[in-house]
Structure formats: structure tokens, C-alpha cells
Amino acid sequence: MTKNIAVIRGDGIGPEIVDQALRVLDKIAALYGHTFQYTDVDMGGCAIDKWGDPLPEEMLKKCTESDSVLLGAVGGEKWNDVPGPMRPEKGLLRLRAGMGVYSNNRPAKIWPQLSAASPLKKAIVDKGIDFIIVRELIGGIYFGEHKTRDIDGVATAIDELKYDEKEIERIGRIGFETARKRGGRLCSVEKSNVLDSSRLWKKVMHRLSEEYPDVELSDMLVDNCAMQIVKDPSQFDVIVTENMFGDILSDEASMITGSIGMIPSSSLGATSCGLYEPIHGSAPDIAGKDLANPIGTILSAAMMLRFSFDMPEEADAIERAVSAYLDDGYRTGDIMGEGMTQVGCRQCGDLILERLSK
Ligand code: NAD
């Protein structure tokens, strides 16, 4: 298969971590007979320096014309004082909007080798943590009307929470499709005991479930879900939820799995062209020092293969190689532990490549 990948190295540690992910993709291409063509895209601080704009139109076009986008990270102190619309992070928001990615998918997976890094009790962690939160990204209360006014002399703030059934259906489909590609279990999270938008949410999910008889659908109230994630996270496979609930639950979920350098993410819309990036930022404090952990980016590339290119075996091979690297006791500084061997970003890439096989 031939795939065109738009590559945004970005700022800070972005170029270092993306380079390691591309080496891994190149080896996958060689092992499985694929061709990955890369198109460089400038975004963030480096684009401001070069073009005076964090995401020039022609750069966005390269992304929307690609089969998917791999992003390192953007931002840094150098651009902290530039005016709002020209900030590096604005490039990222424009990219998400321009690509129409309405679904953010963040896995919460604990590597058994790193279980000591979780704040949860060992007995809970030992049962395993491996689920994905599918969060609606461009609707709900964050995108409703926000107003504050005086009513009878009392300052009153109103935030509108609105979902229509089409918005719910499109994110629901991502939830079902994701579950289908994993363990086949989908938990729909809402607050249907109080909110109308949640009652509609639940109704649409159940209607959709008739089209996905192979996926087992369950419902959970968001307050209960927040408790269950720390009480017994092993029960979850895929969670699908609205924007604000997903925002809160996905931060809770990433916290229980340990290091920020290990966690990938994907954002998807109506097409298979997705945006794949680690959840961390550009880490200016360690940039250019060969200290960054590239695994979040390498696993983002694996997600790209699994969810946009329909290459589950190739994605499994990458995850196996990362696991073997951890088994053999190698760690970058962010996850370094007693008795382990500390490596840099490039060497981490070398060691994962050595362990990557069909
Ligand atoms: P950060 O995630 O960049 O760094 C937080 C801490 O985690 C730092 O100590 C850093 O060294 C460490 N860290 C992060 N990624 C690591 C990795 N892969 N390996 C080892 N250690 C790692 O967050 P921050 O310092 O708050 O933000 C720095 C810049 O990144 C800011 O300009 C911010 O706006 C930007 N940012 C960008 C994105 C993005 O591009 N998606 C996301 C968040 C923040």
C-alpha cells in the first residue's frame, strides 16, 4: 500500500521525536511491503519564523490532501509574546478545524513494566489498564453560547449545551468502529438522569448499536464513570462521550497510566485522514539535548496505521517492539527507574528498531 503522510516536526523536541517515529515507519514499510511518502509541513513557531504565520494556507492544504498527519509538538518561550492569532498553538487549532477532526481519541494504557509510575494501588494496576476514550471535540458546551449578564441586579452566567442527533451519531460511529477494532466493548458515558442532551445521546447510541451487533454497548453516568476509572479501570475497552465529560475523564485516565512522554493520541473526522500526535508539548527544557522520550510519537504512528490505514498487524508490531524495549530495561530520563539503563532519544529509536519484526 502507498500512503502520503504530512509530517509536522514543529518546535522544541518535535523534530527529534518525529525523526524516530519516521525511522519506525520506514522499517514497517520495508517489512510489510508498503510505501510511505512524507511531505514536510511547517507549523508553529518555526512557521512563524519562516512565513510570519503559524499555519500558512498552503501548509494546511498539504495536510488536508494527505492520507494522514503526524505531528510532534509546537510552541516555546520565543513566541510567548507574539499576538494571540499568531501564536504557535493557534496553528494547531486551525489545523484541527481545517481538517474537520471532531473526534479525539486518547488511549489510557499502562505498560506493565511501568506500573510503579501509576498513582493507583498495585492490586488495581495489576488487573491491567488498556482502554480508549473517544471524545467529541467540536460541539457541546464549549461551542455553545456563553454570556454573563445582570438579571435583577445579580450577575448571572449562562453556558449553552447543545447537541443535535447528527453530531451525536457521527461521534457514536467512531466509538463503535473503534470498539470493533479493539475488544468489541463500548461504554457510552452521559448524564441522562439530569440532562436532555444526554438523554438524546443515549437514545442515538442505542439506535446505532443495532448497526453494530458485534459491539457490546453499555451506558454509564459520568459521575459513576469518574469513580470506576480509579476503582477498576480494567473493565473498560472503549468509552465514548461528549466534549466536556471527555475533557475531564481523559485527563483523569492519562494520570493513572504514568508518564506524559508515553501517551499517543489521534483526532479523526468524517474521512480516514487523521491527525496523530503525542499528548505532551514541545518540552523546551530538554529540546536539542537528545533526552526526549519518542515513544508517545512512535505509538501515535502506530495509531495512524491501525485507525487510518487499516494496518492492525503493523500497529501490533510497533507496540510489541516498544514493549520488548521496556522489558529489556531501557528508559529515557522521564521514566528512569532503579536498575534500568538510561538512553537518549536517538538510542531509544535504535533499540525499538532492533526489536521491530513481523
Ligand atoms: P510539555 O508537555 O512540553 O512539558 C512538560 C514537562 O514534561 C517538561 O518537564 C518536559 O521536559 C516533560 N516532557 C514532555 N514531553 C516529554 C518527552 N517526550 N520526553 C521527556 N520529557 C517530556 O508542557 P509545557 O512545558 O507546559 O509546554 C511547553 C510548550 O509546549 C508550550 O509552548 C506549550 O504551549 C506547548 N504545548 C504544545 C502542545 C502541542 O503541540 N500539542 C501541547 C501542550 C503544550
Short mmCIF file of all heavy atoms in Angstrom, two decimals, residues 11 13 17 43 71-80 87-89 92 96 259-262 277-287 291-297 332-335 345, ligand 1:
data_model
loop_
_atom_site.label_atom_id
_atom_site.label_comp_id
_atom_site.label_asym_id
_atom_site.label_seq_id
_atom_site.Cartn_x
_atom_site.Cartn_y
_atom_site.Cartn_z
N ASP A 11 8.25 22.42 16.90
CA ASP A 11 9.27 23.14 17.69
C ASP A 11 9.80 22.26 18.83
O ASP A 11 9.27 21.19 19.10
CB ASP A 11 8.64 24.40 18.29
CG ASP A 11 7.91 25.23 17.24
OD1 ASP A 11 8.50 25.47 16.17
OD2 ASP A 11 6.73 25.61 17.48
N ILE A 13 11.28 19.72 21.15
CA ILE A 13 11.69 18.33 20.91
C ILE A 13 10.99 17.72 19.70
O ILE A 13 11.31 16.59 19.32
CB ILE A 13 11.41 17.42 22.15
CG1 ILE A 13 9.91 17.44 22.52
CG2 ILE A 13 12.28 17.81 23.33
CD1 ILE A 13 9.52 16.38 23.55
N ILE A 17 11.70 13.77 18.14
CA ILE A 17 10.80 12.64 18.38
C ILE A 17 10.15 12.17 17.08
O ILE A 17 9.98 10.98 16.86
CB ILE A 17 9.74 12.98 19.45
CG1 ILE A 17 8.97 14.27 19.11
CG2 ILE A 17 10.39 13.10 20.82
CD1 ILE A 17 7.89 14.66 20.12
N MET A 43 4.63 24.20 10.78
CA MET A 43 3.55 24.72 11.64
C MET A 43 4.14 25.10 12.99
O MET A 43 5.12 24.51 13.44
CB MET A 43 2.46 23.66 11.84
CG MET A 43 1.24 24.20 12.56
SD MET A 43 -0.03 22.95 12.83
CE MET A 43 0.50 22.29 14.39
N LEU A 71 2.25 14.65 13.83
CA LEU A 71 2.71 15.91 14.43
C LEU A 71 3.56 15.64 15.66
O LEU A 71 3.22 14.76 16.47
CB LEU A 71 1.46 16.73 14.81
CG LEU A 71 1.63 17.90 15.79
CD1 LEU A 71 2.46 19.03 15.20
CD2 LEU A 71 0.26 18.45 16.19
N GLY A 72 4.67 16.40 15.80
CA GLY A 72 5.48 16.33 17.02
C GLY A 72 4.85 17.22 18.08
O GLY A 72 3.93 16.81 18.80
N ALA A 73 5.27 18.47 18.15
CA ALA A 73 4.68 19.41 19.10
C ALA A 73 5.06 20.82 18.66
O ALA A 73 6.05 21.00 17.94
CB ALA A 73 5.18 19.16 20.52
N VAL A 74 4.29 21.80 19.09
CA VAL A 74 4.61 23.19 18.73
C VAL A 74 4.65 24.07 19.98
O VAL A 74 4.09 23.73 21.01
CB VAL A 74 3.60 23.78 17.72
CG1 VAL A 74 3.64 23.04 16.40
CG2 VAL A 74 2.18 23.78 18.29
N GLY A 75 5.32 25.21 19.82
CA GLY A 75 5.34 26.21 20.89
C GLY A 75 6.70 26.34 21.56
O GLY A 75 7.58 25.51 21.39
N GLY A 76 6.85 27.43 22.30
CA GLY A 76 8.11 27.69 23.01
C GLY A 76 8.16 29.13 23.46
O GLY A 76 7.41 29.98 22.96
N GLU A 77 9.07 29.37 24.39
CA GLU A 77 9.16 30.70 25.01
C GLU A 77 9.37 31.82 24.00
O GLU A 77 8.83 32.91 24.14
CB GLU A 77 10.33 30.69 25.99
CG GLU A 77 10.04 31.46 27.26
CD GLU A 77 11.08 31.17 28.31
OE1 GLU A 77 11.09 30.05 28.85
OE2 GLU A 77 11.90 32.06 28.54
N LYS A 78 10.16 31.51 22.96
CA LYS A 78 10.50 32.52 21.96
C LYS A 78 9.25 33.20 21.37
O LYS A 78 9.31 34.37 20.98
CB LYS A 78 11.28 31.82 20.84
CG LYS A 78 11.75 32.71 19.74
CD LYS A 78 12.54 31.92 18.71
CE LYS A 78 12.86 32.82 17.52
NZ LYS A 78 13.35 32.04 16.38
N TRP A 79 8.13 32.45 21.30
CA TRP A 79 6.93 33.00 20.66
C TRP A 79 5.84 33.37 21.67
O TRP A 79 4.70 33.60 21.30
CB TRP A 79 6.38 32.00 19.63
CG TRP A 79 7.41 31.62 18.62
CD1 TRP A 79 7.81 32.33 17.53
CD2 TRP A 79 8.22 30.43 18.65
NE1 TRP A 79 8.81 31.66 16.87
CE2 TRP A 79 9.08 30.50 17.52
CE3 TRP A 79 8.31 29.33 19.49
CZ2 TRP A 79 10.01 29.49 17.23
CZ3 TRP A 79 9.22 28.34 19.20
CH2 TRP A 79 10.06 28.42 18.09
N ASN A 80 6.22 33.39 22.99
CA ASN A 80 5.21 33.67 24.02
C ASN A 80 4.60 35.05 23.90
O ASN A 80 3.46 35.27 24.28
CB ASN A 80 5.81 33.51 25.42
CG ASN A 80 5.78 32.05 25.86
OD1 ASN A 80 5.22 31.21 25.15
ND2 ASN A 80 6.39 31.74 26.98
N ARG A 87 -0.06 33.09 17.55
CA ARG A 87 0.68 32.21 18.45
C ARG A 87 0.82 30.81 17.83
O ARG A 87 -0.06 30.39 17.05
CB ARG A 87 -0.02 32.10 19.80
CG ARG A 87 0.07 33.38 20.64
CD ARG A 87 -0.65 33.19 21.94
NE ARG A 87 -0.06 32.09 22.71
CZ ARG A 87 1.04 32.20 23.45
NH1 ARG A 87 1.65 33.35 23.54
NH2 ARG A 87 1.51 31.16 24.10
N PRO A 88 1.88 30.07 18.18
CA PRO A 88 2.07 28.74 17.59
C PRO A 88 0.87 27.83 17.79
O PRO A 88 0.46 27.09 16.89
CB PRO A 88 3.28 28.18 18.36
CG PRO A 88 4.01 29.38 18.87
CD PRO A 88 3.00 30.45 19.06
N GLU A 89 0.24 27.87 19.01
CA GLU A 89 -0.89 26.98 19.31
C GLU A 89 -2.09 27.28 18.42
O GLU A 89 -2.93 26.41 18.19
CB GLU A 89 -1.29 27.11 20.79
CG GLU A 89 -0.23 26.65 21.78
CD GLU A 89 0.91 27.64 22.01
OE1 GLU A 89 0.82 28.78 21.49
OE2 GLU A 89 1.89 27.29 22.70
N LEU A 92 -2.24 25.02 15.58
CA LEU A 92 -2.80 23.70 15.90
C LEU A 92 -4.33 23.74 15.87
O LEU A 92 -4.97 22.85 15.31
CB LEU A 92 -2.29 23.28 17.29
CG LEU A 92 -2.62 21.87 17.76
CD1 LEU A 92 -2.19 20.84 16.74
CD2 LEU A 92 -1.94 21.61 19.09
N ARG A 96 -6.76 21.59 13.37
CA ARG A 96 -7.86 20.70 13.77
C ARG A 96 -9.16 21.11 13.07
O ARG A 96 -9.89 20.27 12.54
CB ARG A 96 -8.06 20.75 15.28
CG ARG A 96 -6.94 20.04 16.02
CD ARG A 96 -7.08 20.19 17.52
NE ARG A 96 -6.00 19.51 18.22
CZ ARG A 96 -5.60 19.79 19.45
NH1 ARG A 96 -6.17 20.77 20.13
NH2 ARG A 96 -4.62 19.12 20.01
N SER A 259 3.70 8.17 32.74
CA SER A 259 4.44 9.28 32.11
C SER A 259 3.79 9.92 30.89
O SER A 259 3.25 9.25 30.02
CB SER A 259 5.82 8.80 31.68
OG SER A 259 6.38 9.73 30.79
N ILE A 260 3.93 11.22 30.82
CA ILE A 260 3.41 12.02 29.71
C ILE A 260 4.12 11.69 28.38
O ILE A 260 3.52 11.78 27.31
CB ILE A 260 3.55 13.53 30.06
CG1 ILE A 260 2.73 14.40 29.14
CG2 ILE A 260 5.00 13.97 30.05
CD1 ILE A 260 2.67 15.87 29.59
N GLY A 261 5.37 11.27 28.45
CA GLY A 261 6.14 11.01 27.22
C GLY A 261 5.71 9.76 26.49
O GLY A 261 6.15 9.49 25.37
N MET A 262 4.83 8.95 27.12
CA MET A 262 4.47 7.64 26.55
C MET A 262 3.13 7.64 25.83
O MET A 262 2.76 6.66 25.21
CB MET A 262 4.35 6.60 27.68
CG MET A 262 5.60 6.32 28.47
SD MET A 262 6.79 5.33 27.56
CE MET A 262 5.89 3.80 27.27
N GLU A 277 -0.68 12.60 17.19
CA GLU A 277 0.33 13.37 17.93
C GLU A 277 0.44 12.84 19.36
O GLU A 277 -0.53 12.34 19.92
CB GLU A 277 -0.07 14.86 17.98
CG GLU A 277 -1.45 15.07 18.56
CD GLU A 277 -1.88 16.53 18.62
OE1 GLU A 277 -1.08 17.39 18.96
OE2 GLU A 277 -3.08 16.79 18.34
N PRO A 278 1.63 12.98 19.97
CA PRO A 278 1.73 12.65 21.39
C PRO A 278 0.97 13.70 22.19
O PRO A 278 0.74 14.80 21.68
CB PRO A 278 3.24 12.72 21.66
CG PRO A 278 3.76 13.68 20.63
CD PRO A 278 2.89 13.49 19.42
N ILE A 279 0.61 13.37 23.44
CA ILE A 279 -0.22 14.34 24.20
C ILE A 279 0.62 15.45 24.83
O ILE A 279 0.07 16.43 25.30
CB ILE A 279 -1.10 13.67 25.27
CG1 ILE A 279 -0.25 13.04 26.39
CG2 ILE A 279 -2.04 12.65 24.65
CD1 ILE A 279 -1.04 12.80 27.66
N HIS A 280 1.95 15.28 24.86
CA HIS A 280 2.78 16.29 25.53
C HIS A 280 3.08 17.47 24.61
O HIS A 280 2.77 17.45 23.42
CB HIS A 280 4.08 15.66 26.03
CG HIS A 280 4.90 15.03 24.94
ND1 HIS A 280 5.61 15.76 24.04
CD2 HIS A 280 5.08 13.72 24.61
CE1 HIS A 280 6.22 14.94 23.20
NE2 HIS A 280 5.91 13.70 23.51
N GLY A 281 3.74 18.50 25.19
CA GLY A 281 4.11 19.68 24.42
C GLY A 281 5.53 19.59 23.89
O GLY A 281 6.10 18.49 23.77
N SER A 282 6.11 20.76 23.59
CA SER A 282 7.40 20.79 22.90
C SER A 282 8.60 20.71 23.85
O SER A 282 9.75 20.74 23.41
CB SER A 282 7.49 22.07 22.06
OG SER A 282 7.37 23.19 22.92
N ALA A 283 8.33 20.60 25.15
CA ALA A 283 9.38 20.39 26.18
C ALA A 283 10.65 21.20 25.91
O ALA A 283 11.73 20.63 25.77
CB ALA A 283 9.70 18.90 26.29
N PRO A 284 10.55 22.54 25.89
CA PRO A 284 11.73 23.36 25.56
C PRO A 284 12.90 23.12 26.52
O PRO A 284 14.05 23.28 26.12
CB PRO A 284 11.22 24.79 25.71
CG PRO A 284 9.74 24.72 25.78
CD PRO A 284 9.35 23.35 26.19
N ASP A 285 12.59 22.70 27.77
CA ASP A 285 13.66 22.49 28.76
C ASP A 285 14.65 21.40 28.34
O ASP A 285 15.79 21.40 28.78
CB ASP A 285 13.07 22.20 30.15
CG ASP A 285 12.03 21.07 30.16
OD1 ASP A 285 11.32 20.90 29.14
OD2 ASP A 285 11.92 20.35 31.18
N ILE A 286 14.19 20.44 27.52
CA ILE A 286 15.11 19.35 27.13
C ILE A 286 15.36 19.33 25.61
O ILE A 286 15.99 18.41 25.11
CB ILE A 286 14.59 17.98 27.61
CG1 ILE A 286 13.17 17.70 27.10
CG2 ILE A 286 14.64 17.87 29.13
CD1 ILE A 286 12.74 16.24 27.27
N ALA A 287 14.85 20.33 24.90
CA ALA A 287 14.97 20.32 23.43
C ALA A 287 16.43 20.36 22.97
O ALA A 287 17.25 21.06 23.56
CB ALA A 287 14.22 21.51 22.84
N LEU A 291 17.34 14.07 24.91
CA LEU A 291 16.81 13.50 26.17
C LEU A 291 15.35 13.07 26.05
O LEU A 291 14.83 12.38 26.93
CB LEU A 291 16.91 14.55 27.30
CG LEU A 291 18.30 14.91 27.80
CD1 LEU A 291 18.22 16.07 28.81
CD2 LEU A 291 18.96 13.69 28.46
N ALA A 292 14.68 13.51 24.99
CA ALA A 292 13.21 13.31 24.91
C ALA A 292 12.86 11.84 24.72
O ALA A 292 13.60 11.07 24.10
CB ALA A 292 12.64 14.12 23.76
N ASN A 293 11.71 11.48 25.25
CA ASN A 293 11.15 10.14 25.04
C ASN A 293 10.32 10.18 23.74
O ASN A 293 9.31 10.87 23.68
CB ASN A 293 10.24 9.80 26.24
CG ASN A 293 9.70 8.39 26.18
OD1 ASN A 293 9.84 7.71 25.17
ND2 ASN A 293 9.09 7.96 27.26
N PRO A 294 10.71 9.43 22.73
CA PRO A 294 9.95 9.47 21.46
C PRO A 294 8.79 8.49 21.41
O PRO A 294 8.09 8.40 20.40
CB PRO A 294 11.02 9.08 20.43
CG PRO A 294 11.93 8.14 21.17
CD PRO A 294 11.91 8.57 22.63
N ILE A 295 8.54 7.75 22.52
CA ILE A 295 7.56 6.65 22.43
C ILE A 295 6.13 7.15 22.19
O ILE A 295 5.38 6.54 21.42
CB ILE A 295 7.65 5.72 23.68
CG1 ILE A 295 9.01 5.01 23.66
CG2 ILE A 295 6.52 4.70 23.68
CD1 ILE A 295 9.26 4.07 24.82
N GLY A 296 5.76 8.30 22.79
CA GLY A 296 4.41 8.83 22.53
C GLY A 296 4.19 9.08 21.04
O GLY A 296 3.10 8.86 20.51
N THR A 297 5.24 9.53 20.36
CA THR A 297 5.12 9.81 18.92
C THR A 297 5.16 8.50 18.11
O THR A 297 4.40 8.35 17.15
CB THR A 297 6.28 10.72 18.47
OG1 THR A 297 6.45 11.74 19.44
CG2 THR A 297 5.99 11.37 17.12
N THR A 332 14.21 6.27 28.88
CA THR A 332 14.65 7.67 28.77
C THR A 332 14.48 8.31 30.16
O THR A 332 13.83 7.73 31.04
CB THR A 332 13.80 8.43 27.72
OG1 THR A 332 12.43 8.05 27.88
CG2 THR A 332 14.27 8.16 26.31
N GLY A 333 15.06 9.50 30.33
CA GLY A 333 15.11 10.14 31.65
C GLY A 333 13.75 10.27 32.32
O GLY A 333 13.64 10.10 33.54
N ASP A 334 12.69 10.57 31.56
CA ASP A 334 11.37 10.83 32.14
C ASP A 334 10.77 9.61 32.85
O ASP A 334 9.91 9.77 33.71
CB ASP A 334 10.40 11.32 31.06
CG ASP A 334 10.29 10.35 29.89
OD1 ASP A 334 11.34 9.86 29.43
OD2 ASP A 334 9.16 10.08 29.44
N ILE A 335 11.19 8.40 32.46
CA ILE A 335 10.61 7.20 33.09
C ILE A 335 11.70 6.34 33.74
O ILE A 335 11.50 5.17 34.03
CB ILE A 335 9.82 6.35 32.06
CG1 ILE A 335 10.66 6.05 30.80
CG2 ILE A 335 8.52 7.02 31.66
CD1 ILE A 335 10.01 5.03 29.86
N CYS A 345 17.15 9.96 23.19
CA CYS A 345 16.05 9.85 22.21
C CYS A 345 16.44 8.97 21.02
O CYS A 345 15.74 8.03 20.64
CB CYS A 345 15.70 11.27 21.75
SG CYS A 345 14.34 11.37 20.63
P1 NAD B 1 5.39 19.95 27.99
O1 NAD B 1 4.49 18.79 27.81
O2 NAD B 1 6.13 20.41 26.79
O3 NAD B 1 6.46 19.63 29.14
C1 NAD B 1 6.08 19.32 30.48
C2 NAD B 1 7.21 18.52 31.15
O4 NAD B 1 7.24 17.20 30.62
C3 NAD B 1 8.61 19.12 30.88
O5 NAD B 1 9.40 18.93 32.03
C4 NAD B 1 9.15 18.29 29.75
O6 NAD B 1 10.55 18.18 29.73
C5 NAD B 1 8.49 16.93 30.01
N1 NAD B 1 8.24 16.20 28.76
C6 NAD B 1 7.27 16.46 27.86
N2 NAD B 1 7.37 15.62 26.84
C7 NAD B 1 8.40 14.81 27.09
C8 NAD B 1 9.01 13.74 26.39
N3 NAD B 1 8.55 13.31 25.21
N4 NAD B 1 10.09 13.14 26.94
C9 NAD B 1 10.56 13.54 28.13
N5 NAD B 1 10.02 14.53 28.84
C10 NAD B 1 8.96 15.18 28.33
O7 NAD B 1 4.48 21.12 28.58
P2 NAD B 1 4.83 22.65 28.84
O8 NAD B 1 6.23 22.78 29.36
O9 NAD B 1 3.70 23.15 29.64
O10 NAD B 1 4.75 23.35 27.41
C11 NAD B 1 5.88 23.64 26.59
C12 NAD B 1 5.40 24.22 25.27
O11 NAD B 1 4.62 23.25 24.58
C13 NAD B 1 4.48 25.44 25.43
O12 NAD B 1 4.82 26.38 24.45
C14 NAD B 1 3.10 24.89 25.21
O13 NAD B 1 2.20 25.85 24.74
C15 NAD B 1 3.38 23.83 24.17
N6 NAD B 1 2.38 22.74 24.09
C16 NAD B 1 2.16 22.25 22.84
C17 NAD B 1 1.30 21.17 22.69
C18 NAD B 1 1.11 20.60 21.32
O14 NAD B 1 1.88 20.90 20.42
N7 NAD B 1 0.11 19.73 21.11
C19 NAD B 1 0.65 20.60 23.80
C20 NAD B 1 0.94 21.12 25.06
C21 NAD B 1 1.81 22.20 25.19
#
